[in-house]
Every structure is written in structure tokens, then in C-alpha cells.
Amino acid sequence: NLVQNGGFETTGSIPEWNLTGAGSIITNFGTPPSAGFSPPQPQHMAINHTGSGAANNTTSSISQQIGTLSPESVYLITFNYNFMSNEFPSQLTSFNDTFEAKLFHGETTTSLATESRNSSTFKTDKPTMSGGGFTLGAGNGYTDFKEASKTVVVDADTATLEFKVFDVGDASVDSAVLIDDVVMQLDP
């Protein structure tokens, strides 16, 4: 795996990752399983959110530069994520908080995953849950954990992997993403 601390098992202020805004490593979100989420892999996961501490009170991201890549080679990138938004189901669709995972390499930007208040399929069956400085209100939306998997032909010897969540339309109703088990490797 070319990603350092991709399972977020080294705790602290998200070591090996560049944090902008509000984020941390947590062991649980809420009280799993009925009233929260556990990490898909071992003991920890990352959370980014648009609440207190977010850049401009609207955006948070973690990113990592990946070096020693072989240009024109195919890499497989996989990770687990759970997008949560207090905008769903009660806010107007003009409020469209969004999560994006991207790989920047050379002159190319590759989208790895995108979720938003308006495009995601949400579940709304959890009570109020909190963790890592973010609270998801009772009956608000979450996607549950999904696994993203994408093959990418890189066009440079370095790349930057970024996970970002941001407010659209307001800075008062917050959203978050849980991230775990990030892997980038040569496609077998």
C-alpha cells in the first residue's frame, strides 16, 4: 500500500495526512451498532466535517502526497466512506453539501467518489449521534459505509489523494464523512 496510515490506526491529529479544517481520528461515531458506526477496518477511522473548526466554516479535507509512482501504470485505489448530512431530509435542495474524493496527478484530476445532499441515497433511521466534533441529528441522512474502488492510469511520478467535505448554500447546517481503509497499489 502506497498510502501511509490509510487505516487511521496511528492516532493523533491524523498523522501522515494534511488536515485542512475540522477532522480527527475516532474509534466510533455514536454508540454502535444501533445508534452509531464502527470503523470497517480494525479500530479507528477518520472524520471530516463542516462544523466548528472547518475552514471558512464551510470546508474540511485531508490529503496525502503519494510518491514513487510509475507514470502510465495502472493503480487501484480503494477506501470505505460514510457521508452524513443534517441537510437531508428537511433542507431545501438549494442546500447541497457535498463529499468528494479525488486523485490529482500531473495535469489530471480523477474523481474517485462523490456524494451530496441531492444525489445520495440516504438512510434516516438513527437517533442523534456524535463523534469527532460533529453531531448528526435524529432522522437525518447517512449513506452507511460504502466501498469505493477505482483503477487509475497515472500520468506523473507523484499524486495527491484528497477527501473533502464542503457546505453548499449555507454555513450553518453541517455535514461530515467517515473514511477508513484507504489503499493505493499497482493494479494486480
Side-chain angles (χ1 to χ4, degrees):
N1 184 7
L2 299 172
V3 176
Q4 301 298 307
N5 197 24
F8 305 100
E9 299 306 314
T10 303
T11 60
S13 60
I14 314 186
E16 309 297 337
W17 293 86
N18 297 313
L19 171 65
T20 301
S24 61
I25 294 176
I26 59 176
T27 54
N28 290 308
F29 185 81
T31 307
S34 63
F37 305 105
S38 296
Q41 295 295 321
Q43 301 174 346
H44 300 94
M45 59 189 161
I47 184 170
N48 280 354
H49 62 84
T50 62
S52 178
N56 298 318
N57 209 31
T58 62
T59 305
S60 294
S61 67
I62 57 171
S63 63
Q64 184 175 130
Q65 185 168 353
I66 312 294
T68 323
L69 301 177
S70 300
E72 304 308 317
S73 293
V74 179
Y75 288 85
L76 176 64
I77 302 169
T78 59
F79 56 92
N80 296 302
Y81 69 92
N82 182 354
F83 177 61
M84 304 175 286
S85 183
N86 284 305
E87 291 186 336
F88 187 88
S90 61
Q91 298 296 309
L92 299 173
T93 57
S94 58
F95 303 108
N96 190 30
D97 288 6
T98 301
F99 159 66
E100 295 177 338
K102 294 182 177 181
L103 184 72
F104 301 93
H105 50 107
E107 300 296 319
T108 305
T109 301
T110 302
S111 176
L112 305 173
T114 301
E115 299 282 347
S116 73
R117 183 263 185 249
N118 293 338
S119 69
S120 298
T121 300
F122 287 108
K123 296 179 180 180
T124 57
D125 60 346
K126 298 281 188 184
T128 297
M129 305 179 289
S130 296
F134 174 76
T135 298
L136 182 68
N140 288 339
Y142 67 96
T143 61
D144 219 345
F145 273 102
K146 295 182 177 185
E147 181 178 18
S149 179
K150 182 120 182 185
T151 55
V152 178
V153 177
V154 298
D155 58 4
D157 58 0
T158 63
T160 299
L161 184 59
E162 178 187 70
F163 299 96
K164 179 167 72 172
V165 62
F166 54 95
D167 285 328
V168 175
D170 73 285
S172 61
V173 181
D174 297 321
S175 297
V177 64
L178 301 172
I179 306 163
D180 198 17
D181 199 26
V182 183
V183 174
M184 181 174 178
Q185 62 189 1
L186 278 169
D187 191 29

